[in-house]
Amino acid sequence: MAINAPTGFNDMLPDQALFWNDFQATAARVFGRYGYVTIQTPIMEQTDLFVRGIGEATDVVSKEMFSAFSGANLETLLGGGTVKAKNRMSLRPEGTAGVVRAVVQHDLVPQGAAPAKLMYAGPMFRAERVQKGRLRQFHQVGVECLGAEAPTVDAEAIIMLMRFFAEVGIPADAMTLLINSMGCESCRPAYRDAVKAYMDEHASQLCETCLTRAEVNPLRAFDCKNEDCAAVMDGAPRITDHLCPDCKAHYAQVKELLDGAGVTYVEDSKLVRGLDYYTRTVFEVQVDNGLGSQNAIGGGGRYDKLAAEVGGRNTPGLGFALGYERCLLALQAAGVEMPKAGSCDLFVSVVESAGQAPAFALVQQVRDAGFSAEMDHQGRSVKSQFKLANKLGARFIVTLGPDELAAGQATLRNMETHEEVTIPFDQIASCL
Ligand code: AMP
């Protein structure tokens, strides 16, 4: 029986791989204007990094990580033994923890230094229930800015994210930008307690999961898809009414900067995002069409405590990640035409086998001149060579028959305009 790729792990076929490359190049170009440079961190990290960084109680860490053990460690584990923390590894479920770990490990933001502005692109892994727009291996492009807590960093990143979406072709009217502030360590605990107390009062109307959330991480109940829970949480205390003066001022400045830049947004005080590390600004971009319930194409926020959490000095940070596959779905829903992989400037067809060696030499010569060229490798008839040329989208076609070989020149046909010129073989490249 044929073996297929595991569920939720997709092949990136050539057209999609081409778009993924373009997507990353667009990100590097747009984010580069804002001073971001590329970093690449390993796809696997110590499990502890995610446990400490993202938070043990999050869905991502508690349920969705793919962990891996090498030979002897796996045997130990299966035999009921314990494996040292440094040998427990997981495929990264997101990019921030790894980048922050690298910043701390290599001291990329020494005291007094300008902020480190880093971007990354690559696969992430989460053992989620697979559905449209929700995969187990998916691809993200993300940025992290470490070393500055000013609201200009937050506003700049949000503006940059919206510019990126515009540049890849997602129509502005198809997107909604949601923003919120999650407060900081001085105002959030009291807010958490207020939400927990509210949930305790309404415990009889909440689902089992939310009852657990009330104990472990009450704010996660805002994300519950259960209708009864959503109705209860609609009446819950709002973080924006509980922000301390500093967080309130920070949030107000972010909004002012966005207003000044003409970026439209919707304030959503229920936007808490799934990960534990966020403080202050959080944001998410949703699309209305093509994605069903998995409608977030990107999101992020500020994480001023994360660097300290993974063992570094206190370093404020802010970042976002956006999902390549969901952007692709959003673009398809908006009817945007995708580029096609493969190009063919010239197809060289042959009439009989004597033409093959000269055709081989000609395609080589054209390729060396910097054009793409193709010929038949399967002994096709002239008619089916023409069909193949069409399928490849060849811009020009030239046919080498006995007369052409004898004369050392051939007729070059422009497939779009149908114009023809007869020229020596060695001048063909200059006419493409
Ligand atoms: P998150 O780290 O969950 O905030 O994800 C950031 C972005 O990555 C989301 O807005 C999605 O576009 C994308 N994303 C997250 N999880 C998945 C998934 N399982 N499959 C596909 N895309 C995802």
Side-chain angles (χ1 to χ4, degrees), residues 44-48 67-90:
M44 215 185 261
E45 297 268 2
Q46 284 187 33
T47 303
D48 264 5
S67 293
F69 295 90
S70 64
N73 291 317
L74 183 60
E75 301 245 316
T76 311
L77 193 74
L78 293 175
T82 48
V83 174
K84 284 192 191 130
K86 75 172 169 53
N87 292 330
R88 279 186 238 134
M89 313 238 251
S90 296

Side-chain angles (χ1 to χ4, degrees), residues 345-347 386 394-399 410-421 432:
D345 295 314
L346 175 70
F347 189 92
F386 272 62
R395 288 197 300 121
F396 289 89
I397 190 165
V398 72
T399 302
T411 302
L412 182 70
R413 181 177 166 85
N414 183 320
M415 300 294 277
E416 207 173 301
T417 62
H418 306 298
E419 274 173 82
E420 292 187 342
V421 277
L432 297 178

Side-chain angles (χ1 to χ4, degrees), residues 329-378:
L329 290 171
L331 286 164
Q332 284 163 349
V336 176
E337 206 164 309
M338 291 290 126
K340 285 252 165 267
S343 68
C344 182
D345 295 314
L346 175 70
F347 189 92
V348 181
S349 70
V350 296
V351 176
E352 46 194 47
S353 58
Q356 247 164 3
F360 188 82
L362 179 56
V363 289
Q364 208 48 56
Q365 186 191 324
V366 167
R367 289 168 182 162
D368 288 344
F371 296 96
S372 57
E374 194 48 284
M375 63 183 282
D376 165 51
H377 297 282
Q378 296 157 305

Side-chain angles (χ1 to χ4, degrees), residues 126 128 133-135 138 140 273 296-299 321-323 326:
R126 294 182 196 172
E128 302 209 69
R134 191 156 78 183
L135 300 164
F138 55 98
Q140 286 185 337
R273 307 209 15 94
I297 52 172
L322 53 101
R326 289 196 197 164

Side-chain angles (χ1 to χ4, degrees), residues 26-27 29-30 33 161-170 331:
T26 306
R29 195 174 63 244
V30 175
R33 291 180 206 144
L161 176 64
M162 300 314 284
R163 294 284 192 274
F164 170 79
F165 285 139
E167 200 132 332
V168 288
I170 303 180
L331 286 164

Side-chain angles (χ1 to χ4, degrees), residues 7 9 59-60 63-67 91 93 124-130 134-138:
T7 306
F9 290 75
D59 283 356
V60 165
K63 303 189 212 151
E64 297 171 0
M65 283 214 292
F66 283 103
S67 293
L91 292 176
M124 306 293 157
F125 304 86
R126 294 182 196 172
E128 302 209 69
R129 206 163 41 77
V130 175
R134 191 156 78 183
L135 300 164
R136 296 187 146 197
Q137 176 178 336
F138 55 98

Side-chain angles (χ1 to χ4, degrees), residues 191-201 214-216 218-219 237:
Y191 172 65
R192 259 174 82 118
D193 290 348
V195 175
K196 180 174 172 354
Y198 173 84
M199 289 173 74
D200 288 346
E201 270 169 44
E215 300 306 319
V216 192
L219 304 193

